[in-house]
Coordinates of all heavy atoms in Angstrom, one line a residue:
W355 N -45.3 -68.2 144.7 CA -46.2 -69.4 145.1 C -45.7 -70.7 144.7 O -46.0 -71.7 145.3 CB -47.6 -69.0 144.7 CG -48.1 -67.8 145.5 CD1 -48.3 -66.6 145.0 CD2 -48.4 -67.8 146.8 NE1 -48.8 -65.8 146.0 CE2 -48.9 -66.5 147.2 CE3 -48.5 -68.7 147.8 CZ2 -49.3 -66.2 148.5 CZ3 -48.8 -68.5 149.2 CH2 -49.2 -67.2 149.4
Q356 N -45.0 -70.7 143.6 CA -44.3 -72.0 143.2 C -43.4 -72.4 144.4 O -43.3 -73.6 144.9 CB -43.5 -71.9 142.0 CG -44.3 -71.8 140.7 CD -43.4 -71.5 139.5 OE1 -42.2 -71.4 139.6 NE2 -44.0 -71.4 138.4
G357 N -42.5 -71.5 144.9 CA -41.7 -71.6 145.9 C -42.3 -72.0 147.2 O -41.9 -72.7 148.1
A358 N -43.5 -71.4 147.5 CA -44.3 -71.7 148.7 C -44.8 -73.1 148.7 O -44.7 -73.7 149.8 CB -45.6 -70.6 148.8
G359 N -45.1 -73.6 147.6 CA -45.5 -75.0 147.4 C -44.3 -75.9 147.9 O -44.4 -77.0 148.6
A360 N -43.2 -75.6 147.2 CA -42.0 -76.4 147.5 C -41.6 -76.3 149.1 O -41.2 -77.3 149.5 CB -40.8 -76.0 146.6
F361 N -41.6 -75.1 149.5 CA -41.2 -74.8 150.9 C -41.9 -75.7 151.8 O -41.4 -76.3 152.9 CB -41.3 -73.3 151.3 CG -40.8 -73.0 152.6 CD1 -39.5 -72.8 152.8 CD2 -41.7 -72.8 153.7 CE1 -38.9 -72.5 154.1 CE2 -41.3 -72.4 154.9 CZ -39.9 -72.3 155.0
K362 N -43.3 -75.8 151.6 CA -44.1 -76.6 152.5 C -43.7 -78.1 152.3 O -43.7 -78.9 153.3 CB -45.5 -76.4 152.1 CG -46.5 -77.1 153.2 CD -47.8 -76.2 153.4 CE -48.7 -76.8 154.6 NZ -49.8 -76.0 154.8
L363 N -43.5 -78.5 151.2 CA -43.0 -79.9 151.0 C -41.7 -80.2 151.7 O -41.5 -81.3 152.3 CB -42.8 -80.3 149.4 CG -44.0 -80.3 148.6 CD1 -43.7 -80.3 147.1 CD2 -44.8 -81.5 148.9
Y364 N -40.8 -79.2 151.8 CA -39.6 -79.5 152.5 C -39.7 -79.4 154.0 O -39.0 -80.2 154.7 CB -38.5 -78.3 152.1 CG -38.1 -78.4 150.7 CD1 -37.9 -77.0 150.1 CD2 -37.9 -79.4 150.0 CE1 -37.5 -77.0 148.7 CE2 -37.5 -79.4 148.6 CZ -37.3 -78.2 148.0 OH -36.8 -78.0 146.7
T365 N -40.5 -78.4 154.6 CA -40.5 -78.1 155.9 C -41.9 -78.5 156.6 O -41.9 -78.5 157.9 CB -40.2 -76.6 156.2 OG1 -41.3 -75.9 155.5 CG2 -39.1 -76.3 155.5
G366 N -43.0 -78.6 155.8 CA -44.3 -78.7 156.5 C -44.8 -77.4 156.9 O -46.0 -77.4 157.5
L367 N -44.2 -76.3 156.7 CA -44.6 -75.0 157.2 C -45.0 -74.0 156.0 O -44.5 -74.3 154.7 CB -43.4 -74.2 157.8 CG -42.9 -74.9 159.0 CD1 -41.5 -74.2 159.5 CD2 -43.9 -74.9 160.2
D368 N -45.9 -73.1 156.2 CA -46.2 -72.2 155.2 C -45.2 -71.1 154.9 O -44.6 -70.6 156.0 CB -47.6 -71.4 155.6 CG -48.8 -72.4 155.6 OD1 -48.9 -73.3 154.7 OD2 -49.7 -72.2 156.4
M369 N -44.9 -70.9 153.7 CA -43.9 -69.8 153.5 C -44.5 -68.6 153.9 O -45.6 -68.1 153.8 CB -43.6 -69.7 151.9 CG -42.8 -68.6 151.5 SD -42.4 -68.6 149.7 CE -41.1 -69.9 149.7
P370 N -43.5 -67.7 154.6 CA -43.9 -66.4 155.1 C -44.1 -65.3 153.9 O -43.2 -64.5 153.6 CB -42.8 -65.9 156.1 CG -41.6 -66.6 155.5 CD -42.2 -67.9 155.0
A371 N -45.3 -65.6 153.2 CA -45.3 -65.0 151.8 C -45.3 -63.4 152.0 O -44.6 -62.8 151.1 CB -46.5 -65.4 151.2
Q372 N -46.1 -62.8 153.0 CA -46.2 -61.4 153.0 C -44.8 -60.7 153.3 O -44.3 -59.7 152.8 CB -47.2 -61.0 153.9 CG -48.6 -61.6 153.6 CD -49.0 -61.3 152.2 OE1 -48.8 -60.1 151.6 NE2 -49.7 -62.2 151.6
E373 N -44.1 -61.4 154.2 CA -42.8 -61.0 154.7 C -41.7 -61.1 153.5 O -41.0 -60.2 153.3 CB -42.3 -61.6 155.9 CG -43.0 -61.4 157.2 CD -44.3 -62.3 157.3 OE1 -44.6 -63.0 156.3 OE2 -45.0 -62.1 158.3
L374 N -41.9 -62.1 152.8 CA -41.0 -62.3 151.7 C -41.2 -61.3 150.6 O -40.3 -60.8 149.9 CB -41.1 -63.7 151.1 CG -40.3 -64.2 149.8 CD1 -38.9 -63.9 150.1 CD2 -40.5 -65.6 149.4
K375 N -42.6 -61.1 150.3 CA -42.9 -60.0 149.3 C -42.3 -58.7 149.7 O -41.7 -58.0 148.8 CB -44.4 -59.9 149.3 CG -45.2 -61.0 148.5 CD -46.7 -60.6 148.5 CE -47.5 -61.8 147.9 NZ -49.0 -61.5 148.1
A376 N -42.4 -58.3 150.9 CA -41.9 -57.1 151.4 C -40.4 -57.0 151.3 O -39.7 -56.0 150.7 CB -42.2 -56.8 152.9
F377 N -39.7 -58.1 151.5 CA -38.2 -58.3 151.3 C -37.9 -58.0 149.9 O -37.0 -57.3 149.6 CB -37.7 -59.5 151.9 CG -36.4 -59.9 151.6 CD1 -35.3 -59.2 152.3 CD2 -36.0 -60.8 150.8 CE1 -33.9 -59.5 152.1 CE2 -34.7 -61.2 150.5 CZ -33.7 -60.5 151.2
L378 N -38.5 -58.8 149.1 CA -38.2 -58.7 147.6 C -38.5 -57.3 147.0 O -37.8 -56.9 146.0 CB -39.0 -59.8 146.8 CG -38.6 -61.3 147.1 CD1 -39.5 -62.2 146.5 CD2 -37.2 -61.5 146.9
A379 N -39.6 -56.7 147.5 CA -40.0 -55.4 147.1 C -38.8 -54.4 147.5 O -38.5 -53.5 146.6 CB -41.2 -55.0 147.6
K380 N -38.3 -54.5 148.7 CA -37.3 -53.7 149.0 C -36.0 -53.9 148.2 O -35.3 -52.9 147.9 CB -37.0 -54.0 150.6 CG -35.9 -53.0 151.1 CD -35.6 -53.3 152.6 CE -34.6 -52.3 153.1 NZ -34.2 -52.6 154.5
R381 N -35.7 -55.1 147.8 CA -34.5 -55.3 147.0 C -34.8 -54.7 145.6 O -33.9 -54.1 145.0 CB -34.4 -56.9 146.7 CG -33.7 -57.6 147.9 CD -33.7 -58.9 147.6 NE -33.1 -59.4 146.4 CZ -31.9 -59.6 146.2 NH1 -31.0 -59.4 147.3 NH2 -31.3 -60.0 145.1
E382 N -36.0 -54.8 145.0 CA -36.3 -54.0 143.9 C -36.1 -52.5 143.8 O -35.5 -51.9 142.9 CB -37.7 -54.4 143.3 CG -37.8 -55.9 142.8 CD -39.1 -56.0 142.1 OE1 -39.7 -55.1 141.5 OE2 -39.7 -57.2 142.2
E383 N -36.6 -52.1 145.0 CA -36.4 -50.5 145.2 C -34.9 -50.2 145.3 O -34.5 -49.0 144.9 CB -37.0 -50.1 146.6 CG -38.6 -50.2 146.4 CD -39.3 -49.9 147.8 OE1 -38.4 -49.5 148.8 OE2 -40.4 -50.0 148.0
E384 N -34.2 -51.2 145.7 CA -32.7 -50.7 145.9 C -32.0 -51.2 144.4 O -30.8 -50.9 144.4 CB -32.1 -51.6 147.0 CG -32.6 -51.3 148.3 CD -32.1 -52.2 149.4 OE1 -31.6 -53.3 149.1 OE2 -32.3 -52.0 150.6

Side-chain angles (χ1 to χ4, degrees):
W355 289 107
Q356 286 174 3
F361 185 77
K362 188 148 193 173
L363 290 169
Y364 296 144
T365 66
L367 300 170
D368 291 326
M369 177 176 276
Q372 301 310 317
E373 292 81 1
L374 178 57
K375 285 181 185 179
F377 172 71
L378 295 176
K380 184 178 179 181
R381 283 174 55 86
E382 284 190 34
E383 289 174 5
E384 294 171 349

